[in-house]
Structures are given as structure tokens and as C-alpha cells.
Amino acid sequence: MSSHEHPLGISFEFFPPNTDAGRDKLIHVRDELAARKPRFFSVTYGAGGSTQARTREVVRAVSESGITTAPHLSCIGSEKAQLRDLLAQYREEGVESLVALRGDMPSGMGSIGELRYANELVEFIRTETGDHFDIAVAAYPESHPQAPNLDKDVENFARKMKAGANMAITQYFFTADAYFNFVDKARALGVKQPIIPGIMPITNYTKLARFSDACGAEIPRWIRKQLESYGDDSEAIAAFGTDVVSRLCQRLLDGGAPGLHFYTLNQAAPVLKIVDNLAG
Ligand code: FAD
């Protein structure tokens, strides 16, 4: 860890904004978060219809902060030639880290492409570019929605780690034991690389509930009930959310989590409140 890095090993994720105003705002958010000396930033791809070109554009803008910036990259629906070109472009642009994903097929779209799963993408990146890129992959402490069960999903997870990933970032979750259980299962299969918990701040109950249903993250009943009771009171939701998620983060760190990766949703304040609550 560099001496300039935040002692907790934090990192922040952004999505490519759709509007000029969104892009301007992201530059401010980037600067506020860069001041906390994260290990890296990452920029999603595909979510909300963003294209790889938009991700590249935002990676360029975000990396001007001097912080390592990792584009997310998915293989579903792509041919090897396209992925090869993209990797070459990222290399030329000085990108050294990637988040490698299978991704999801937009409904009604045709061909799956040449690589079916993330382990095949990791293998492809290693074959094409050797050790040039640091590669992170996704992990699902509460199981990927399409997996038949958690054990099968952890086996598939171990496969992509063995294909050459340097670390993993998890889907968000609100139950610390789900993370510890997942890490134990992965370690039992020989996975040695860091598995960083992905952390979602709670700011908007309706959006969080919709998101969580889609990606298979569970909002425990006691949290759901409390959030529902606040109705439209966004201040109360934010205060409760900060408290719940700060305590989750502290438990994860105390239990040995090797860092925290925050899903910022392009907002600085909610994650900074959490970071400031944590013991360094
Ligand atoms: P995989 O690891 O390939 O797993 C997908 C499913 O297939 C799982 O059920 C797994 O058990 C199974 N599986 C895996 N390998 C095999 C195999 N070899 N044989 C049989 N079954 C197998 N989505 C986006 O669109 N853009 C993003 O930027 C983005 N960023 C993300 C970042 C993180 C940290 C996380 C956790 C998720 C992100 N996602 C993103 C969501 C992700 O694309 C979806 O969850 C997708 O459905 C799975 O991608 P994966 O890389 O985890 O797939």
C-alpha cells in the first residue's frame, strides 16, 4: 500500500453520466473523493445503456485526478476482435487496471458472443496482454441471481480467480456474515486474492429496493421496515442509512476485510459520511 493511500484501502465506483451537467458534477465529486486518497476509481459500462466509448471518455476525465482508474468491461455480446481492439486502446491510453465482467444480455438481443463467462474473459485478457492489466472480477456473497446455489456460484467464482484475476469486488449486501461466509468458502477452494466488499450507501429507499430486486441483494426486513416508516423523509432515510452502513463497514473491517469499494452513484456526500465514521 502506498504511504499516500487512505489507511482503510477504499475505492470508489462511478457510472458514465448522461448529461453535460452530470459530467460537470462528476468532476467535482471526483475531486472530493480523490482528496481521500483512494486506491483506485472505477467506471461502469453498459448500465443505463452507456457504451464502451462513454466509459472510456469518463475514465479519461476521472484519471486526470492522478488516481488509478479502472474501466469495467464486459464480454457478453462481443466478439474477440472487438475486445482485442478495446484492450489495445486502453493500453495506449495508459490504463493499467480493469474490472472484467460477463455482463448481462439486453433483452431481445441476439448473439451471446465468443466468450460466455467472466472466467473466459479473464483468460482472454491474460492471453492477449500478459500481466499488463491488474484485473478485478465480481463476487456475489448472496449468490448471483442465475446461480443454482451459492456453492456452485463460489466454484464458478474460484474459476475466474484461477484464470488470473488479481482481486474481486463484491455485489453489495447488508449482512456482514454473508461476506464472511463467502470468503471462507472461496478460501476453502484455494482462492488467495483479496475479496473487497462492495458497499452501497442508503439514500433512497425506492431506488434501492428496485436495484436490489434486480441484482439479488437482500435488504434485511428490519432495515426495510425502518426505511418504509420514514416515507418521503429523505433526511431521516440518509441518517439511518449512514448509521447502518457505517456499522456494516466497521464490522467488515474488524473481521479482516481488505478494503471497501463504494458504489458512489456519482455522489460524494453519502460515502464520505460513512468513511468519516470509520476507525482508521
Ligand atoms: P460470471 O462470473 O460469468 O457469472 C455469471 C453467472 O454464470 C453466475 O451465475 C455464475 O455462477 C455462472 N458461471 C460463471 N462461470 C461459469 C462457467 N464457466 N460455467 C457455468 N456457469 C458459470 N454490469 C454491467 O452491465 N456493467 C458494469 O459495469 C458492471 N459492474 C459490476 C461490478 C461489480 C463489482 C459487480 C459485482 C457487478 C457488476 N455488474 C456490471 C453486474 C454483472 O455484469 C452481472 O451481475 C452479470 O450478470 C454477471 O457478471 P459476472 O462477471 O459476475 O459473470
Side-chain angles (χ1 to χ4, degrees), residues 34 90 100 133 191 193 212:
Y90 278 137
F133 293 107
V191 173
Q193 298 94 320
S212 304

Side-chain angles (χ1 to χ4, degrees), residues 151 154-155 157-159 161-162 179-193 195:
D151 284 343
V154 182
E155 273 173 37
F157 169 71
R159 192 176 291 128
M161 298 308 273
K162 282 174 190 160
Y179 169 80
F180 294 125
N181 176 57
F182 182 90
V183 172
D184 286 348
K185 283 181 184 289
R187 298 284 179 248
L189 294 182
V191 173
K192 299 203 168 27
Q193 298 94 320
I195 302 172

Side-chain angles (χ1 to χ4, degrees), residues 44-45 72 101-104 118-119 140 144 153 156 159-160:
T44 62
Y45 158 63
H72 294 209
L101 304 147
R102 181 197 72 174
D104 292 306
N119 66 294
Y140 302 86
H144 183 267
D153 202 32
N156 290 329
R159 192 176 291 128
K160 61 187 168 178

Side-chain angles (χ1 to χ4, degrees), residues 30-66:
R30 170 200 78 182
D31 290 342
E32 272 185 87
L33 296 179
R36 300 309 176 97
K37 314 269 187 241
R39 271 185 193 151
F40 65 93
F41 289 135
S42 82
V43 181
T44 62
Y45 158 63
S50 69
T51 61
Q52 198 71 60
R54 295 273 311 290
T55 299
R56 281 175 58 203
E57 200 181 296
V58 175
V59 166
R60 271 196 294 274
V62 169
S63 62
E64 279 166 13
S65 61

Side-chain angles (χ1 to χ4, degrees), residues 11-15 26 29 33 199-201 262-268 270-271:
S11 52
F12 300 113
E13 182 170 308
F14 302 123
F15 64 85
L26 181 56
V29 171
L33 296 179
I199 304 297
M200 180 67 87
F262 289 92
Y263 296 106
T264 69
L265 304 180
N266 294 1
Q267 293 184 58
V271 294

